[in-house]
Amino acid sequence: MSLPHAILTALLEKPSSGLELTRRFDKSIGYFWSATHQQIYRELGKLETEGFIRTLPAEQPARGQKKSYEVLPAGRAELARWTAAAQDPRPLRDVLLLRLRAAAVVGTAGLEDDLRRHLELHRRQLAEYQDIEQRDFPPDRNTPEDRLRHLVLRAGIDLETFWTQWLTHALEEFAELPGEAPGQDGPEPTDGTPD
């Protein structure tokens, strides 16, 4: 149920059309909660039906004019309720980690190149976040709203820093692996837990 709340957040920051929301998602919220254009429009319809948002009256009625939306008091109350509610952390689900686990039994062919590709992607994302931090969060931007937004960005920076460090370490480990693929001519691999 997080996409509706992401949309409510974005609309409280600034009333927008569906297209404007999609563009804003691509530049901000989408870094940590992505959504397609279709998903956003579908959720806008649901939020309007539930009485959480409304279509802003058009300045001049015109056919094909894009609709803009704003949050109603019920939508603000729902977002406040959701923000205050306790939620457990989600377990990490990452296909790369699963592929590494699988490599322990079937071999590492092709995986090292993909680790290098992932490292480059995370380095680029880290650089982009650092550019955003430098541009959007100078030391004099210190309002509570700015501090909270900066905290979200810091999470992205710290996460990308973790991935670049971890992938660098993983590639160092790969360099030390013997050439023989796991699962061939050796003892049965274990996961370290008793049967």
Side-chain angles (χ1 to χ4, degrees), residues 11-180:
L11 288 175
L12 278 169
E13 290 174 343
K14 179 182 177 190
S16 305
S17 69
L19 181 59
E20 290 165 341
L21 273 176
T22 301
R23 289 179 180 148
R24 288 175 55 211
F25 261 70
D26 288 345
K27 294 178 182 174
S28 61
I29 291 174
Y31 284 121
F32 55 91
W33 199 269
S34 62
T36 66
H37 190 71
Q38 292 83 4
Q39 289 171 318
I40 289 171
Y41 272 96
R42 193 168 36 246
E43 288 301 330
L44 284 169
K46 288 178 188 175
L47 289 167
E48 191 168 25
T49 299
E50 291 169 358
F52 292 153
I53 65 172
R54 74 175 181 121
T55 304
L56 288 170
E59 292 175 16
Q60 293 180 328
R63 192 173 188 183
Q65 185 178 20
K66 60 184 176 182
K67 293 194 251 180
S68 288
Y69 300 88
E70 71 176 355
V71 177
L72 295 170
R76 179 181 281 277
E78 168 55 21
L79 187 59
R81 181 209 60 77
W82 178 80
T83 301
Q87 294 187 8
D88 293 334
R90 291 180 156 209
L92 175 64
R93 290 179 61 182
D94 191 286
V95 71
L96 181 60
L97 299 178
L98 183 57
R99 290 171 59 215
L100 278 170
R101 181 69 182 246
V105 293
V106 298
T108 61
L111 197 49
E112 186 173 359
D113 288 342
D114 205 37
L115 287 173
R116 290 184 196 291
R117 186 178 69 82
H118 277 250
L119 177 58
E120 182 54 34
L121 291 171
H122 284 289
R123 282 180 174 156
R124 275 192 240 150
Q125 189 64 66
L126 177 58
E128 186 174 343
Y129 286 161
Q130 289 169 331
D131 288 346
I132 292 169
E133 182 178 43
Q134 188 173 8
R135 181 191 69 218
D136 294 348
F137 296 100
D140 60 337
R141 279 190 75 175
N142 205 21
T143 67
E145 295 84 1
D146 286 331
R147 291 175 72 177
L148 290 172
R149 289 182 186 117
H150 191 201
L151 192 58
V152 173
L153 179 61
R154 283 298 323 169
I157 289 170
D158 292 347
L159 188 58
E160 293 304 327
T161 299
F162 160 77
W163 279 114
T164 56
Q165 291 172 347
W166 182 84
L167 285 159
T168 299
H169 175 73
L171 287 164
E172 290 166 358
E173 289 288 327
F174 262 68
E176 295 179 15
L177 291 177
E180 186 178 298

